[in-house]
Amino acid sequence: MNFTPMGKALIIVGLIIVAVGILLHFGPKIPFLGKLPGDVSIKREGFQFYFPLMTSIILSILISVIIYFIQKLKG
């Protein structure tokens, strides 16, 4: 039995978990994260709505670029 693909998958999943952990730990300390122009924030009496639209777009682009370079390194 060849466990090489499973080992690679476990390493990638582990790196993703570490990256998410670092982001959760240091996320509140990053000054611009979640406060970019384009993030929707509505505050009224007894009601608060927040949707980080621009932050989500930028994180999506960043993750896509990282995945692109990982794919380039693999093959």
Side-chain angles (χ1 to χ4, degrees):
M1 292 172 50
N2 187 6
F3 291 108
T4 304
M6 183 188 291
K8 288 180 182 180
L10 286 173
I11 290 171
I12 291 171
V13 169
L15 290 174
I16 291 171
I17 290 172
V18 168
V20 169
I22 290 171
L23 183 63
L24 289 174
H25 182 72
F26 292 110
K29 297 174 185 173
I30 301 173
F32 61 85
L33 191 64
K35 298 175 185 170
L36 295 173
D39 290 346
V40 178
S41 179
I42 300 172
K43 294 180 183 178
R44 295 190 181 154
E45 187 177 329
F47 177 76
Q48 183 175 352
F49 176 76
Y50 178 71
F51 185 73
L53 181 64
M54 190 57 64
T55 302
S56 299
I57 291 171
I58 290 175
L59 286 176
S60 175
I61 291 170
L62 182 65
I63 291 169
S64 296
V65 168
I66 291 170
I67 290 173
Y68 171 77
F69 283 119
I70 289 172
Q71 291 295 322
K72 285 295 244 184
L73 290 174
K74 286 175 76 176

